[in-house]
Amino acid sequence: MDNAQRISGVLSPVVTPFKADLSPDLERFVRQCRWLLSQNVGLAAFGTNSEANSLSVEERIELLERLVGAGLDTARMMPGTGCCALPDTVRLTAHAVKLGCAGALMLPPFYYKGLSDDGLFRSFAEVIERVGEARLRVYLYHIPPVAQVPITLGVVERLLKAYPAQTAGMKDSSGDWNNTKAFLDAFAKSGFDVFAGSETFLLRNMRGGGAGCISATANVNPGPIARLFDAWQAADADAQQARLDDIRGSFAKFPMIPALKAAIAHYGHDAPWATVRPPLVALTAEQAKALVAELEQKTFAMPGLAGR
Amino acid sequence: MDNAQRISGVLSPVVTPFKADLSPDLERFVRQCRWLLSQNVGLAAFGTNSEANSLSVEERIELLERLVGAGLDTARMMPGTGCCALPDTVRLTAHAVKLGCAGALMLPPFYYKGLSDDGLFRSFAEVIERVGEARLRVYLYHIPPVAQVPITLGVVERLLKAYPAQTAGMKDSSGDWNNTKAFLDAFAKSGFDVFAGSETFLLRNMRGGGAGCISATANVNPGPIARLFDAWQAADADAQQARLDDIRGSFAKFPMIPALKAAIAHYGHDAPWATVRPPLVALTAEQAKALVAELEQKTFAMPGLAGR
């Protein structure tokens, strides 16, 4: 697999639907993923916004198998596979590769804090060695506000040296453009694909040599975000970015995951979508109403969602 | 089970031995646990210092079954069962109850940050409801420096109200005596058992109405710590505490988990004990030497370890 064939563009950390008993709703999940693909958005299933860390390894395996079984394109899939425990990460990553997924989005082991670069390098190296697949493409997931364990320039440098084919890129959810720029400047030219952690930085990331973005709000505003990826060199790119930022701003006023689900429930006429797993809490009826009122004012829409 | 029969005293978050291939070493684990019990220290297996969050659910189940199969006393066991994902916590907790363990030490779901009291309450409540065992005894595990998700007074109050029998106590690893005191003052009289998160606060905790401590260094200095628990009202209690603090100080100069394992490897004449799982890194030879040199100076010993 050369770099030209690597996954790029806009990906969604697909929100995971739950039934009333809090078990994953496999059918709604497949329908949602199919809709996202129809909007030209790829599937970074099992990201932070997927409540992936509230799912067991077995649940993730079952959900991914259901997508593949439904005939969805594995070339557009970059499932999250990074867990606290080495054997879990190895198992999920090997499974994703076996199913033919384009990549694996890998959190660092995130329980123990203050890790050394050496420990972090060894963690990723052990996964790559144990999976033992030439076609594995690892995307390191840097999200210090949540994981509290950062991915450093030094760790990426060591991984690129030891595993140049497998060390494919990263998602930067630091929320700090200077950090994204530092990784772009250091590694983009050597074929390391940097995805911004939200569309807020999509245009800057593309101008800086990045590969796209993986964003929470790609769950609800997929088409327009994917359009900016396609048209980032167009004359109206900055205006497109401003419109994306405006929509994102409405979601950012609420807890993000419950807000995404509330919007899907509302615009999809599908109330069960609002369900979240503990420790998260769904929006109150008042919050959901306020979110929708604000989106209506901005003539926001989710085309094709209701009929999916 | 009334309160008089509840587990108390000094417990060790038992360090987990690994083989060269990084798989758990079941036999060394049983030997170590047997030795700790012989020192009058209970088994809070699968704590932070056990590298529990580097173990899969299946690995924890196998390790616990091996202990019980070896005939070790389940009345002295409080295994860690709290994971990020609800089904994992339910599975491990139900398993611990089924085996007859005295309690389950439960981390909050620790990936998502900034949780509401409501979300946290619902997390624990779902576990208690789904396990559905009258004899379940939950010990909430407050360790904000690592988990970054605190257990609040409000959550404990709600849990005590909703599940008075199951909400048995907590381990406070905040490192902040004022916090421990706040929980003692609020709940100790109603039978809620507060364990200090290290022997540093053992004497203060006992004087304040606490139930004991669960401490990393109970892995290496079990006898003397257990002795202070028994003798906390004796005339030399403060002198005993000072001696414990002095020994702990030597370990605290190094990364704690690798230091504990280095000491067991040295005093047990059993080099494989030094192995840690990534993302942790073993002490260097120089660090291990420095640790032992300091302990020798303090005439530290681990009686019975070498022949265990």
Side-chain angles (χ1 to χ4, degrees):
Chain A
M1 193 190 288
D2 66 25
N3 288 349
Q5 296 170 292
R6 287 228 195 120
I7 190 167
S8 66
V10 177
L11 287 86
S12 165
V14 189
V15 284
T16 307
F18 295 109
K19 299 182 187 174
D21 68 357
L22 301 181
S23 65
D25 187 328
L26 298 167
E27 283 163 36
R28 277 193 172 82
F29 183 63
V30 171
R31 281 211 304 276
Q32 189 70 7
C33 288
R34 205 187 293 281
W35 177 71
L36 289 167
L37 289 174
S38 80
Q39 303 293 306
N40 201 19
V41 156
L43 308 174
F46 318 132
T48 297
N49 288 283
S50 314
E51 297 171 78
N53 295 101
S54 301
L55 299 173
S56 70
V57 167
E58 291 74 18
E59 287 173 332
R60 295 202 212 186
I61 284 175
E62 190 179 10
L63 284 160
L64 190 60
E65 287 187 346
R66 189 61 76 97
L67 290 190
V68 175
L72 274 58
D73 185 4
T74 55
R76 300 292 294 147
M77 295 183 195
M78 187 201 287
T81 65
C83 304
C84 286
L86 178 66
D88 291 341
T89 305
V90 170
R91 188 172 162 205
L92 286 174
T93 306
H95 181 254
V97 174
K98 189 181 136 217
L99 291 182
C101 294
L105 186 54
M106 208 173 288
L107 277 170
F110 54 82
Y111 183 69
Y112 297 98
K113 305 302 188 294
L115 301 180
S116 65
D117 270 13
D118 201 39
L120 212 47
F121 170 78
R122 280 185 62 208
S123 291
F124 290 117
E126 281 289 339
V127 175
I128 294 169
E129 296 278 357
R130 285 167 188 243
V131 171
E133 291 263 16
R135 61 187 170 144
L136 168 63
R137 294 293 173 272
V138 173
Y139 294 85
L140 303 161
Y141 187 4
H142 177 62
I143 181 167
V146 184
Q148 306 275 343
V149 174
I151 310 276
T152 65
L153 290 159
V155 166
V156 173
E157 190 174 356
R158 284 181 66 180
L159 285 169
L160 276 170
K161 198 163 185 178
Y163 308 102
Q166 285 81 14
T167 309
M170 77 183 296
K171 173 183 181 188
D172 183 1
S173 294
S174 65
D176 172 7
W177 170 248
N178 289 329
N179 187 70
T180 309
K181 191 171 180 313
F183 279 91
L184 284 168
D185 291 350
F187 306 120
K189 277 181 189 151
S190 56
F192 183 79
D193 289 331
V194 176
F195 289 83
S198 88
E199 75 275 24
T200 311
F201 302 109
L202 177 55
L203 192 50
R204 274 181 276 186
N205 192 41
M206 297 315 297
R207 286 172 178 163
C213 74
I214 304 173
S215 177
T217 36
N219 276 290
V220 288
N221 199 22
I225 303 177
R227 246 181 330 272
L228 176 56
F229 173 78
D230 285 336
W232 69 270
Q233 290 170 303
D236 73 338
D238 285 287
Q240 285 191 47
Q241 179 72 62
R243 166 75 181 164
L244 297 183
D245 294 347
D246 187 40
I247 296 298
R248 187 179 175 94
S250 294
F251 284 93
K253 288 183 183 171
F254 300 90
M256 182 57 83
I257 299 169
L260 298 173
K261 288 186 151 183
I264 294 168
H266 176 81
Y267 288 95
H269 310 305
D270 195 8
W273 257 106
T275 309
V276 296
R277 236 183 208 185
L280 302 187
V281 178
L283 296 195
T284 62
E286 292 69 30
Q287 287 176 312
K289 214 175 138 185
L291 169 65
V292 168
E294 185 159 334
L295 291 170
E296 298 281 314
Q297 222 173 21
K298 295 179 179 177
T299 63
F300 172 79
M302 293 178 73
L305 184 75
R308 76 194 186 290
Chain B
M1 193 190 290
D2 66 26
N3 289 348
Q5 295 170 295
R6 286 226 196 123
I7 190 167
S8 66
V10 177
L11 287 86
S12 165
V14 189
V15 286
T16 308
F18 295 109
K19 299 181 186 174
D21 68 358
L22 300 180
S23 64
D25 188 328
L26 299 167
E27 284 163 35
R28 276 192 173 84
F29 183 64
V30 172
R31 281 209 304 276
Q32 190 70 8
C33 287
R34 205 187 293 282
W35 176 72
L36 288 166
L37 289 174
S38 79
Q39 303 294 305
N40 201 18
V41 157
L43 308 174
F46 319 133
T48 297
N49 287 283
S50 313
E51 296 170 78
N53 295 102
S54 302
L55 299 172
S56 69
V57 167
E58 291 75 17
E59 287 173 334
R60 295 201 212 187
I61 285 176
E62 190 179 11
L63 284 159
L64 190 59
E65 287 188 346
R66 189 60 77 96
L67 290 189
V68 175
L72 274 57
D73 184 5
T74 55
R76 299 294 293 147
M77 295 185 194
M78 188 201 287
T81 64
C83 303
C84 287
L86 177 67
D88 291 342
T89 304
V90 170
R91 188 172 163 206
L92 286 174
T93 306
H95 181 254
V97 175
K98 189 181 135 217
L99 291 183
C101 294
L105 186 54
M106 208 174 288
L107 276 170
F110 55 82
Y111 183 69
Y112 298 97
K113 305 302 188 293
L115 301 180
S116 65
D117 271 12
D118 200 40
L120 212 47
F121 169 78
R122 281 185 61 208
S123 291
F124 290 118
E126 279 290 339
V127 174
I128 293 169
E129 296 279 357
R130 285 166 189 246
V131 171
E133 291 262 16
R135 61 188 169 144
L136 168 62
R137 293 294 173 272
V138 174
Y139 295 85
L140 304 161
Y141 187 4
H142 177 62
I143 180 168
V146 184
Q148 306 275 344
V149 173
I151 310 275
T152 65
L153 289 159
V155 166
V156 172
E157 191 174 355
R158 285 181 64 179
L159 285 169
L160 274 170
K161 199 163 186 178
Y163 308 102
Q166 285 81 12
T167 309
M170 74 184 297
K171 174 184 179 187
D172 183 1
S173 294
S174 65
D176 172 7
W177 170 249
N178 289 329
N179 187 70
T180 309
K181 190 172 180 314
F183 279 92
L184 284 168
D185 291 349
F187 306 119
K189 276 180 193 154
S190 56
F192 183 79
D193 289 330
V194 176
F195 289 84
S198 87
E199 74 276 24
T200 311
F201 302 109
L202 177 54
L203 192 49
R204 273 180 277 186
N205 192 43
M206 296 315 296
R207 286 172 177 163
C213 74
I214 304 173
S215 177
T217 36
N219 275 289
V220 289
N221 199 22
I225 303 176
R227 240 175 340 266
L228 176 55
F229 172 78
D230 285 335
W232 71 269
Q233 291 171 302
D236 72 338
D238 286 286
Q240 283 191 48
Q241 179 71 61
R243 166 74 181 165
L244 298 183
D245 294 347
D246 187 39
I247 296 297
R248 187 179 174 95
S250 295
F251 284 94
K253 288 182 182 170
F254 302 89
M256 183 57 83
I257 299 169
L260 298 173
K261 288 186 150 183
I264 295 168
H266 176 81
Y267 288 96
H269 310 307
D270 195 8
W273 258 106
T275 308
V276 295
R277 235 184 209 185
L280 302 187
V281 178
L283 295 195
T284 63
E286 291 70 29
Q287 286 176 312
K289 215 175 137 184
L291 169 64
V292 169
E294 185 159 332
L295 291 170
E296 299 281 314
Q297 222 173 21
K298 296 180 180 177
T299 63
F300 172 80
M302 292 178 73
L305 184 75
R308 79 195 184 290

